[in-house]
Amino acid sequence: MKENSDMKIVIGSDHAGYELKEAIKKHLSSKKISFKDIGTDSSESTDYPDYAKSVALYVGKSGGLGILICGTGLGMCMAANKFREVRAATCRDANDARMAREHNNANVLCLGGRTTDEGKAKEIVDTFIQTKASPVDRHRKRLDKIAEIEEENFK
Ligand code: RB5
């Protein structure tokens, strides 16, 4: 993986994603990829929308990438997609991650701490970070349409 200390990555989880978050943090550190951890800090029960909100706001402002982990990756994804500029995708394998970046220019990766093992999660994270959005016109046009929907509905 290309090392890039300028890469802005923010990571957050609820209690169900806490262990996987810690493993992903170690993985990123081992590759010298810097990140900001916005919690949670233990396996004590918390509410996933609180962490989705912090990560989504940070991604919206920084233009970087976010990683959100709950039990399934589903609730985090729903909550994160309520924020402007956020295109969050729950990914269960590396192909999901590649397609989410390439076709959908996803900027928040959602993972399930109870559904995806550590090895696969690392593979998904690596693919998500390494893959660039496709410059092809038809993909850009579709993303513009998503942005138009956001403009109409997120007043
Ligand atoms: C917590 O029990 C669980 O509901 C949460 O982590 C997440 O999976 C929700 O989508």
Side-chain angles (χ1 to χ4, degrees):
M1 177 183 296
K2 191 168 151 240
E3 289 175 10
N4 179 356
S5 56
D6 294 336
M7 202 183 280
K8 291 188 187 72
I9 294 181
V10 58
I11 186 166
S13 76
D14 69 355
H15 55 289
Y18 173 69
E19 273 187 31
L20 185 56
K21 173 167 70 70
E22 295 308 296
I24 297 298
K25 279 166 55 185
K26 275 193 196 143
H27 181 64
L28 293 174
S29 295
S30 77
K31 294 187 175 263
K32 300 197 171 23
I33 294 173
S34 55
F35 58 83
K36 178 180 165 70
D37 177 9
I38 56 87
T40 187
D41 300 324
S42 76
S43 296
E44 202 174 309
S45 184
T46 54
D47 299 329
Y48 61 84
D50 297 337
Y51 301 93
K53 181 177 179 178
S54 299
V55 165
L57 289 174
Y58 189 87
V59 166
K61 268 190 224 140
S62 70
L65 296 178
I67 301 174
L68 280 167
I69 311 169
C70 60
T72 57
L74 299 175
M76 285 291 198
C77 193
M78 290 178 195
N81 277 317
K82 299 294 179 194
F83 290 82
R84 276 188 181 278
E85 310 279 334
V86 169
R87 291 171 302 281
T90 304
C91 297
R92 295 276 194 249
D93 58 32
N95 191 52
D96 280 354
R98 187 176 62 78
M99 294 300 285
R101 289 286 297 139
E102 226 173 74
H103 284 210
N104 314 118
N105 196 12
N107 53 10
V108 175
L109 166 65
C110 301
L111 292 168
R114 293 173 176 160
T115 59
T116 304
D117 68 40
E118 202 180 298
K120 184 154 261 188
K122 289 176 185 169
E123 213 184 300
I124 293 170
V125 167
D126 288 348
T127 305
F128 193 81
I129 291 173
Q130 284 169 341
T131 308
K132 297 257 180 295
S134 164
V136 171
D137 278 353
R138 69 177 185 283
H139 298 309
R140 285 173 173 266
K141 183 185 77 181
R142 291 161 190 164
L143 290 170
D144 286 346
K145 289 195 175 191
I146 293 181
E148 278 169 28
I149 292 171
E150 186 175 290
E151 217 34 63
E152 284 165 24
N153 292 335
F154 286 24
K155 293 277 175 319

